Amino acid sequence: LSRRPLPSPPAAAAARCRHRPPHIPTMAARSRISRSKEFIAFRSEIPRLRCNVQGKEWTYFQHGPKHLPPVICLHGTSGTAETFFCQVMTLGSKGYHVIAAQFPDYWDHQKWVDGFYKFLATINIEKCHLLGVSLGGFMALHFTGRYPERVLSLILCNSFVDTKPFHQSSTWLTMIGYMPEFYVKKFILDSFPKGKLPGPHADAVDFVVEQLETLTRKDLASRLTLNCLPSSVEKHVKMIGGKYPITIMDTMDDVVLPESMSDRLYKAFPNAKMAFIKKGGDFPFLSAHMEISMHVQIHLRNCQMFPGGVDEKTYARQSGIKLEGDNKKQQSPKPKPKKKVLTKEEKEALERKREEGRRKAEERRKLEEEERKRKEEERRRKEAEKQKRRERGNKILEGLISKEDDEEDDEQAKPEGGLFDANGDETGEADPFS
């Protein structure tokens, strides 16, 4: 039996394998992310929803409590709604309302803005937070400038404020809509990073390339047109920067986006919060999805939006976080000590004790004063003797008196034989006539 050849597949199954649509990858060609448990759980738990807006089909995934203002994720030139599955699963499970949207083919920025406005109206979204990546961030800025009342805040990742470095000629912009699908895909794939990449970056690129295969020629050509049409949001920068909380997320390693475009974004919004990711590549929402989700949560908390729509105190209590003012409020005020009423004997004893203390302090002060005076007199006496010796030494050096005369003066200054000498009288004074 082990040597018997395996049976060939039925003809119908073989035909299905031969006629598999080219945009659906086979099991062997699937990327590591698409085979991961997280992505399989995402596709099995969260349905793909579709919304028709004036004949164009918007695709989106929605997760979390629907009564809250959502965080709407907008992809870039080569992305799809599925590329945000990490943010949808992470933030939605924490109690945030998340929508990952995929827009259809729009060939003009103004038409895209009008289509996104009608898409929000169709799914009953009044206000939202916008998370835009690359081209999605640029279109989010356009929408905020046109409909500022529909936006609560902005999160921009590897985005830009104008398309100057991507400008193409009008002939190219006209012809791109008629180019075959393989040429348009090759034009996009040529901009992808090449060479040896770290594991998470390589997995992210493989997954995006796999998602790129699911897009039609019109989708790719329209996105390239939006990316290369001359356009800028300079006239809306002042209004957006002064009205909305903005967080700019960028990666520190090499990316396709020119550094000059990132610098212009920083200068346009100098008051925006900056979140730099050390290693994320061109698709940090896949390769560094945990950091992206963390920064999104911080941004929403700064906007006073907490999971489940609770307020700050409730969220802090549920999470076990102590706020600054909680300790002061919880501490009960110290009771004031009751004043003791003294009896007459206790008052007299207290007064005697105070009087004794005052008397001892006065005696101590007098003793200190006497000691000070004694030390001052001693200092003056020593100073006078020192001055006298100095003057006597100077006279000797000047030759005014001899050393013998000086010794005689010393002997006369110290008389011997008691209080009276031979030349003195009973008063002890020298006789002026002797």
Side-chain angles (χ1 to χ4, degrees), residues 134 160 162-168 227-229 256-258 261:
S134 188
F160 45 89
D162 59 67
T163 59
K164 186 176 181 180
F166 301 141
H167 285 181
Q168 299 290 341
N227 210 46
C228 300
L229 273 176
V256 175
L257 189 70
M261 302 186 74

Side-chain angles (χ1 to χ4, degrees), residues 21-38:
H23 62 274
I24 300 178
T26 61
M27 290 297 295
R30 293 178 65 188
S31 64
R32 184 178 298 181
I33 293 180
S34 62
R35 288 185 281 111
S36 64
K37 295 180 180 179
E38 293 80 4

Side-chain angles (χ1 to χ4, degrees), residues 125-179:
I125 300 297
E126 294 183 1
K127 294 185 177 183
C128 60
H129 304 268
L130 295 180
L131 166 59
V133 178
S134 188
L135 176 64
F138 181 62
M139 300 311 300
L141 291 172
H142 268 291
F143 179 79
T144 307
R146 177 72 182 278
Y147 299 102
E149 71 280 358
R150 305 300 294 270
V151 180
L152 295 173
S153 67
L154 289 168
I155 306 173
L156 307 175
C157 180
N158 289 346
S159 190
F160 45 89
V161 293
D162 59 67
T163 59
K164 186 176 181 180
F166 301 141
H167 285 181
Q168 299 290 341
S169 63
S170 58
T171 305
W172 185 92
L173 293 173
T174 304
M175 293 298 297
I176 193 65
Y178 301 96
M179 292 293 179

